[in-house]
Amino acid sequence: MHYELYYWTGIQGRGEFIRLALEDAGASYTDMARVHGDEVMQPFLDGSQEGLRPFAPPFLVTGRQVIAQVGAILSHLGPELGLVPDAASRRAQALQLQLTIADLVAEIHDTHHPIAASQYYEDQKKEAKARAASMRDERLPKFLGWFESVLEANGGLHPLREHSYVDLSLFQLLSGLDYMFPRRMQALRPSLPLLHALQDRVERRPNIAAYLASERRLAFNTNGIFRHYPELDADA
């Protein structure tokens, strides 16, 4: 099986959750925009390409099927790549966890774009500073504390008691937050030992380690979901 992944070039964003799953599984895939340019996505986005029209990238093409939304893509890939348990109930749990990650990712984006995604960060810095304080003080401890409790309840190593795409997504989430809020994440670190141990284990997985060391892995930057603006970070 060969997959086609469509996501903006140069942006370290939602597409990375999909890349990590494909890379970890050693899957055959083409990162289409990186090969052909962002314009390769337009026929899908304007509805002139066969398949269900996606609202926005990332989306995946497999055979004649077009799948959009990170949770839907990973739910589809999980069984094919061996990145989700076999039981239907466990697959539902994986999707639930992934959608909770997506909820937090949406809030992370809105931290630096609290007024409108169409406006530059520089046009909403005052509002972003207030939103960032809420994210640091309230939302991060609530979300990350919940994921820590899920790990603890399931043996401490994996949220589903075995390796899955959720582990990879938690790795990406934590790595992004370490870049975005280095001071706050360092302050929270003692309260999240299981999450950080999982992050370290994922980073050492052979295929992930090779991917992270390759040119295919984009560095975090201020064009993606996780953006580091020093004025938005603090210990608390």
Side-chain angles (χ1 to χ4, degrees):
M1 177 71 71
H2 184 81
Y3 303 96
E4 294 180 354
L5 174 64
Y6 293 78
Y7 194 66
W8 307 112
T9 57
I11 294 180
Q12 227 279 18
R14 292 179 174 89
E16 199 62 24
F17 291 95
I18 313 303
R19 289 192 191 96
L20 285 169
L22 293 167
E23 292 282 349
D24 186 65
S28 173
Y29 77 100
T30 300
D31 211 324
M32 296 297 288
R34 291 186 181 180
V35 175
H36 303 288
D38 287 347
E39 61 273 13
V40 75
M41 297 186 286
Q42 199 55 48
F44 295 92
L45 297 174
D46 64 23
S48 61
Q49 187 72 28
E50 182 180 8
L52 182 64
R53 180 184 177 188
F55 179 75
F59 56 92
L60 189 81
V61 174
T62 170
R64 300 175 64 181
Q65 190 172 12
V66 180
I67 309 169
Q69 299 289 349
V70 171
I73 294 169
L74 290 175
S75 183
H76 174 86
L77 286 176
E80 294 185 358
L81 300 182
L83 287 175
V84 72
D86 291 333
S89 61
R90 303 295 273 170
R91 294 184 181 186
Q93 290 173 349
L95 181 56
Q96 174 188 335
L97 290 163
Q98 188 65 44
L99 293 177
T100 306
I101 293 172
D103 287 343
L104 178 52
V105 169
E107 292 195 27
I108 288 167
H109 171 272
D110 291 347
T111 298
H112 46 77
H113 280 77
I115 302 300
S118 59
Q119 295 181 11
Y120 291 110
Y121 164 71
E122 288 72 17
D123 298 325
Q124 46 195 316
K125 291 177 71 172
K126 179 180 177 181
E127 294 84 359
K129 189 172 183 178
R131 184 67 178 263
S134 174
M135 172 61 73
R136 296 192 314 267
D137 297 348
E138 302 169 12
R139 305 305 285 167
L140 284 183
K142 184 171 184 177
F143 271 100
L144 298 180
W146 182 79
F147 282 117
E148 181 79 8
S149 71
V150 170
L151 277 169
E152 184 175 11
N154 287 281
L157 297 180
H158 310 282
L160 295 174
R161 294 185 178 272
E162 61 184 85
H163 179 66
S164 72
Y165 64 77
V166 179
D167 297 47
L168 301 168
S169 291
L170 285 172
F171 165 81
Q172 176 66 9
L173 175 67
L174 291 167
S175 299
L177 287 170
D178 285 343
Y179 169 78
M180 184 175 184
F181 292 127
R183 293 173 59 189
R184 182 58 175 144
M185 289 299 289
Q186 186 62 34
L188 288 172
R189 190 177 185 91
S191 66
L192 305 170
L194 299 178
L195 277 173
H196 285 289
L198 181 148
Q199 182 183 13
D200 291 342
R201 287 194 302 275
V202 169
E203 189 172 23
R204 293 195 302 268
R205 290 179 63 82
N207 286 352
I208 294 299
Y211 170 60
L212 296 178
S214 75
E215 294 182 355
R216 298 189 304 281
R217 172 71 167 186
L218 291 179
F220 289 104
N221 56 65
T222 53
N223 291 321
I225 297 295
F226 303 98
R227 302 186 180 191
H228 177 59
Y229 298 115
E231 63 271 23
L232 300 186
D233 192 17
D235 296 334

